[in-house]
Amino acid sequence: MVFVDGVRTPFGKAGPKGMYAETRADDMVVKVIRELLRRQPQLPPERIDEVAIAATTQIGDQGLTIGRNAALLAGLPKSVPGFAIDRMCAGAMTAVTTTASGIGFGGYDIAVAGGVEHMGSHPMGEGADPNPRFVSDNLVDSSALVMGSTAENLHDRYPKLTKQRTDAYAALSQQRYQAAAEAGKIAADLVPVATRSGEAGWGLATGDEPPRPGTTAESLEGLKTPFRPHGRVTPGNSAGLNDGATGCLIADEHSARELGLPVGMRMVGYAFAGVEPEVMGVGPVPATEKALKRAGLSIDDIGLFEINEAFAVQVLAFLDHFGIPEDDERVNPWGGAIACGHPLASSGVRLMTQLSRHFAERPDVRYGITTMCIGFGMGGTVIWENPHHDETAGGAK
């Protein structure tokens, strides 16, 4: 299975003052699907076999089988089916791995996969009714239901993961994103979205809203710790609450070559793993170990890492486990979710799209991974191969 191309909307800040406050979630998905087809005019829409769209909170304009709804709204032929999928933060990642498995089995040739989250309209957990037995039967600690509290738990478990380190990592993410944006790297992935406001009228979203240029570790020191008094997790070393959508085209390689579609990267394998829900941020560690073992690879074979930055502490837990320096240039070269935002179910495809762009610039790298922690105690990792790899280029693997 090959990753053809990926795009996303600019990510916005959730809430009444955010740029998408009065924009529908399904309309953001429509923009993404249409942009994928605009960028690949050689793809007949009727050749798309499936549209898989993830959302964590599947109600309102994110409900009613959003994959099918968005396909129809985007103008795809009525013969093209679609479905909705949920694995919390890894929704889009799971949309890709699920449809990729269908391609591997021979059920699909070409699919659209992605995700959306409008956290301003639908906060995480809206309408959910967790079974009281989770806590009353001591199945999980009550902190497992609050993602920021699980990040504080990670600090407790690994004392070497200090607030000073997480603030320094968060500042680095902002700085790398700013450098990439100024170099024109970020804009290439974005599709502009028309926005409306009862007060300001119509507008056009062309860039991410969450980044904070000029951030330093020192500027993050005094921020409040909302999840625990005198804690370590702050709005500065965490991803924010965001709105946005992502999407990608995936295909079997024969169909891609037949239609003249670009091959951005090849899927080598993937794995999901469960961990204690109270420390869900450590999930990428066993997921990556599982994926590497299945692929017959080691962490030393990986030349690029796109790690979702839900919280800086979970990124550092991953890097420490594998002995990777926290300022390693292979890790999130263009910054990450702490800077650009994390609209839950959409983020997996953002990671993939950026890794595909890195591969195009780095023929010296053969393998890369996209990995993320997942709410309620999981992790997911996908291993990718660079089709542009040139062993004579030297440098990383």
Side-chain angles (χ1 to χ4, degrees), residues 4-5 36-47 110 249 255-263:
V4 173
D5 194 12
L36 287 169
L37 292 173
R38 188 193 71 80
R39 294 188 182 199
Q40 307 300 332
Q42 66 273 46
L43 172 62
E46 64 272 14
R47 289 290 301 270
I110 301 168
L249 281 169
S255 296
R257 301 295 185 191
E258 171 200 345
L259 293 170
L261 297 172
V263 174

Side-chain angles (χ1 to χ4, degrees), residues 109-352:
D109 292 331
I110 301 168
V112 171
V116 64
E117 210 72 53
H118 198 303
M119 299 182 75
S121 297
H122 309 296
M124 185 176 181
E126 180 186 14
D129 180 21
N131 195 306
R133 290 198 303 107
F134 278 121
V135 175
S136 64
D137 290 3
N138 293 319
L139 298 176
V140 299
D141 184 81
S142 59
S143 65
L145 302 174
V146 180
M147 298 304 102
S149 296
T150 69
E152 290 283 6
N153 292 342
L154 262 187
H155 276 287
D156 294 339
R157 180 162 295 192
Y158 304 108
K160 289 194 296 184
L161 304 180
T162 64
K163 184 177 182 298
Q164 290 73 24
R165 290 181 64 191
T166 57
D167 283 350
Y169 180 84
L172 178 64
S173 179
Q174 294 279 358
Q175 292 156 10
R176 285 182 171 176
Y177 175 91
Q178 184 177 355
E182 291 173 354
K185 307 288 189 183
I186 305 297
D189 297 343
L190 306 183
V191 53
V193 178
T195 62
R196 70 170 300 276
S197 164
E199 294 182 3
W202 289 97
L204 189 67
T206 59
D208 294 319
E209 198 174 19
R212 297 181 292 273
T215 297
T216 64
E218 292 72 25
S219 68
L220 301 177
E221 287 179 359
L223 296 181
K224 294 181 179 180
T225 58
F227 303 104
R228 184 186 297 180
H230 309 293
R232 293 138 298 189
V233 179
T234 74
N237 57 35
S238 311
L241 304 179
N242 304 110
D243 307 328
T246 63
C248 67
L249 281 169
I250 62 173
D252 79 277
E253 191 157 358
H254 174 78
S255 296
R257 301 295 185 191
E258 171 200 345
L259 293 170
L261 297 172
V263 174
M265 51 188 184
R266 299 186 183 94
M267 181 182 286
V268 176
Y270 67 87
F272 294 93
V275 296
E276 297 166 76
E278 296 85 354
V279 287
M280 67 93 194
V282 80
V285 171
T288 299
E289 291 179 330
K290 190 175 181 180
L292 289 171
K293 182 177 180 180
R294 287 178 170 176
L297 298 172
S298 76
I299 199 71
D300 295 330
D301 293 311
I302 306 303
L304 285 165
F305 299 81
E306 278 291 331
I307 307 173
N308 192 47
E309 298 170 353
F311 302 94
V313 66
Q314 50 92 185
V315 178
L316 295 183
F318 178 92
L319 298 179
D320 276 12
H321 177 84
F322 288 108
I324 300 170
E326 53 209 65
D327 60 351
D328 195 309
E329 294 182 354
R330 298 173 298 165
V331 178
N332 294 2
W334 297 349
I338 288 173
C340 70
H342 172 33
L344 299 183
S346 69
S347 289
V349 164
R350 178 189 67 79
L351 301 176
M352 295 173 189

Side-chain angles (χ1 to χ4, degrees), residues 47-64:
R47 289 290 301 270
I48 297 173
D49 295 309
E50 190 69 272
V51 177
I53 301 297
T56 301
T57 307
Q58 296 190 12
I59 59 176
D61 53 353
Q62 294 180 174
L64 293 175

